[in-house]
Amino acid sequence: MADLTTSAPVPLSRRSIPPALTIALIYLAARAVTFGFLALAAALSAEGTRFGAGASVQDLVVGWDAQWYWFLAVNGYPTDLPLTDAGAVAENQWAFMPIYAYLAAAIAPLVGGWWGVAAVLISLASGYGATYVLYRMLRGRIGGSAAIWAAAFFAAGPLAALFQVGYAEALFLLWLFLALWAVTARRFVWVYPLVVLMGYTRPGVLAFALFIGLFGMWRFFSRRTEPLRVREVIHIVALGALATAVGFSWQIIAAVVTGDPGAYLATELAWRRNWLLDDAGHFLPFDAFVRGAAFWGEVWGWGAAGGVILLVFILAGAAAALLWTPQARALGPEIRLWAVSYLVYLLAVFFPQSSIFRLLVPISPLWGALAVPRSLVWRVGVLIACLAGQWWWIYNMYALGNRFWQIP
């Protein structure tokens, strides 16, 4: 992609190590640490957990949803939806978008036919690309040093294991960061193909549609400080329409292939029955998050009202941090609008459980806010906290993984 940055050229005296190489070294160091964590988690895996005794790193990196992507690559999408003994739609491939699974299948012959190896290579390469794009996107807003630290937090963060397992997140993040970078630089032409790639890599493009809508509103109200030209208005409307169409197209595709108009939603709701056995199987925006907060409040002994009150406090704190803290404001309106859009999207569609940590990864540009303070002690402390959080997540999801509390 063409250079989208709007920052000033870096003086020659500071070009001893190219930024791409600096980010690569940081990223490789982070991946080495993650591999060590995964190896330790495999060694600690015991009977009764997801992977059992004698697990290997290979078992872990192709476990959980990676198995679904592999199954999709081998078997494709079902034309007849599988059913449970009770007659409800069972978990199936329609919950997973096609690009990652089929791209790994296309690359597999180059690595001896091993789909898992191809999938992990895609994640590794995409993770580096996303880390570098994040650095370039943030550099013009918070400066080169802070952007490097933000990239380090991202590369070593609590969910950084996603860069070396068979999940589509890293590839999605690459498309997403490129699209956000293009929007911040007003290079809208680049965003069109990225919207399509995002939409068929993993769910979340409807959040981008909301972001484009909020971005358009912000541009309208800020037009006195940055003129809003007709060409930009056309791009904003067209991109919002495209993202919306792509976001809903998967439901239409699933309906056409299976003959069931509710095939996709029924498939997504099938996962919820792991917690809500009496779930009626109907989708209402925001209902799942409220019901989930009440459910976990009762599980934790706080009562349903306690769970909902906790949710309200978390949302209020997140809103305050995004809107008013100077560190977040330094990132610029585009990144903050994206974070708001994605969080609203999660609240509208997701039932909260341990996967919420993974699903929060798309708001990773907010790492830049934690990199803004110039104190070395602060930055090193955040990096240590990232690594500690990464081990906590890997240990719980892979060494102790189960179908109720610990699902990545």
Side-chain angles (χ1 to χ4, degrees), residues 69-70 73-74 99-110 113-115 118-119 122:
Y69 283 112
W70 167 82
V74 172
I99 287 181
Y100 181 75
Y102 289 141
L103 180 59
I107 295 174
L110 303 178
W114 293 95
W115 183 92
I122 292 170

Side-chain angles (χ1 to χ4, degrees), residues 89-131:
V89 173
E91 299 170 353
N92 66 83
Q93 302 96 292
W94 283 108
F96 301 90
M97 304 304 172
I99 287 181
Y100 181 75
Y102 289 141
L103 180 59
I107 295 174
L110 303 178
V111 289
W114 293 95
W115 183 92
V117 173
V120 171
L121 288 176
I122 292 170
S123 293
L124 284 168
S126 300
Y128 167 71
T131 305

Side-chain angles (χ1 to χ4, degrees), residues 13-73:
S13 60
R14 294 169 57 190
R15 293 182 182 176
S16 55
I17 301 178
L21 178 57
T22 300
I23 299 301
L25 294 174
I26 292 171
Y27 183 75
L28 290 174
R31 300 287 61 76
V33 173
T34 299
F35 180 84
F37 286 162
L38 288 170
L40 182 55
L44 293 175
S45 181
E47 293 292 343
T49 63
R50 175 71 173 187
F51 298 97
S56 67
V57 173
Q58 179 180 342
D59 297 326
L60 272 54
V61 300
V62 294
W64 291 110
D65 282 0
Q67 293 181 325
W68 277 110
Y69 283 112
W70 167 82
F71 190 76
L72 166 59

